[in-house]
Amino acid sequence: QQQVRQSPQSLTVWEGETAILNCSYEDSTFDYFPWYWQFPRESPALLIAIRPVSNKKEDGRFTIFFNKREKKLSLHITDSQPGDSATYFCAASGSSGSWQLIFGSGTQLTVMP
Amino acid sequence: GGIITQTPKFLIGQEGQKLTLKCQQNFNHDTMYWYRQDSGKGLRLIYYSITENDLQKGDLSEGYDASREKKSSFSLTVTSAQKNEMAVFLCASSISTANSDYTFGSGTRLLVI
């Protein structure tokens, strides 16, 4: 049973558009949600993260929207650039129980110029 | 800045062979992890270690052994390589169990023939 689910599996947008990547989770004790991005032939790197004390976290063109009631979050990338093309992983962990990060299966984003 | 070094970068093994992957970090991080990445399946936790000489099984530990003899190093052994197996093994570290921000190594790409 997947505890962290991501959709879509792949997404293509045009340069300048907003890309929306979705994530949902099962365990209501999860209290930390980082997003990692991974470029081809490189290792994942931390992009942005949110804790449920807030429902929005913004860092430049990247924004996480969080809905605790529905156990869903999304990553919005505004003014998408070809350099944003990567695989994006949603992850989750909890301060009690599963403190290790559990990763979703990823969304492969392609930004067309 | 610190770095996580994984060796070897590429590993070709034969069916039934015992294979060892190594990971070294100079962040002085307490906690280290081994993840397996298969195409379309995200990252799955094999083993983790909270501190030197500690070992904890992840969801994918069957068929693997691990060793954390020093704080800075964490080794993973594939006990019996499976024919046609192909995956990337990622080592990561974090300051402690209370901090879920991981830094990943560049990975070991395994192919079993």
Side-chain angles (χ1 to χ4, degrees):
Chain A
Q1 182 186 5
Q2 272 191 304
Q3 293 196 57
V4 178
R5 297 176 188 268
Q6 289 187 248
S7 65
Q9 189 173 354
S10 63
L11 175 65
T12 299
V13 300
W14 292 102
E15 182 174 356
E17 290 184 335
T18 296
I20 299 175
L21 290 67
N22 300 303
C23 180
S24 63
Y25 60 97
E26 302 280 332
D27 192 337
S28 56
T29 66
F30 286 154
D31 60 7
Y32 182 63
F33 301 89
W35 286 81
Y36 283 74
W37 56 352
Q38 183 178 30
F39 296 97
R41 293 173 298 281
E42 293 189 15
S43 55
L46 179 65
L47 172 62
I48 186 172
I50 192 168
R51 292 192 183 274
V53 292
S54 60
N55 56 19
K56 182 181 176 181
K57 177 75 176 290
E58 195 169 348
D59 184 357
R61 297 185 294 108
F62 301 88
T63 303
I64 301 174
F65 293 93
F66 183 77
N67 185 324
K68 187 175 182 178
R69 184 178 60 83
E70 295 187 8
K71 292 193 276 188
K72 291 181 178 179
L73 57 159
S74 59
L75 176 67
H76 292 225
I77 307 172
T78 57
D79 188 25
S80 296
Q81 302 296 309
D84 297 332
S85 297
T87 299
Y88 291 77
F89 293 100
C90 173
S93 66
S95 52
S96 61
S98 178
W99 56 264
Q100 311 90 355
L101 279 179
I102 297 181
F103 287 83
S105 57
T107 293
Q108 188 171 353
L109 173 67
T110 302
V111 181
M112 302 292 290
Chain B
I3 190 169
I4 296 183
T5 303
Q6 289 188 237
T7 56
K9 291 189 185 305
F10 299 94
L11 182 56
I12 299 176
Q14 294 186 322
E15 184 181 12
Q17 195 175 3
K18 186 175 179 179
L19 303 167
T20 298
L21 290 67
K22 295 186 182 295
C23 177
Q24 296 264 357
Q25 53 97 359
N26 62 1
F27 293 102
N28 200 34
H29 284 172
D30 282 337
T31 312
M32 296 185 73
Y33 314 82
W34 276 105
Y35 282 88
R36 174 179 167 132
Q37 183 172 25
D38 294 274
S39 178
K41 291 188 179 179
L43 285 70
R44 293 181 290 172
L45 184 62
I46 306 172
Y47 264 96
Y48 62 100
S49 169
I50 296 173
T51 189
E52 183 178 337
N53 292 319
D54 174 76
L55 290 175
Q56 307 284 341
K57 292 182 178 181
D59 291 338
L60 206 64
S61 62
E62 188 172 340
Y64 302 93
D65 285 328
S67 172
R68 182 99 183 267
E69 293 172 353
K70 293 191 301 184
K71 186 176 182 179
S72 62
S73 66
F74 192 29
S75 299
L76 180 72
T77 298
V78 179
T79 56
S80 180
Q82 301 298 304
K83 189 175 175 63
N84 298 322
E85 182 175 6
M86 187 167 66
V88 177
F89 292 85
L90 290 165
C91 176
S93 70
S94 63
I95 294 174
S96 69
T97 58
N99 183 309
S100 290
D101 288 341
Y102 293 7
T103 300
F104 283 89
S106 56
T108 292
R109 284 156 178 75
L110 171 67
L111 174 63
V112 181
I113 56 175

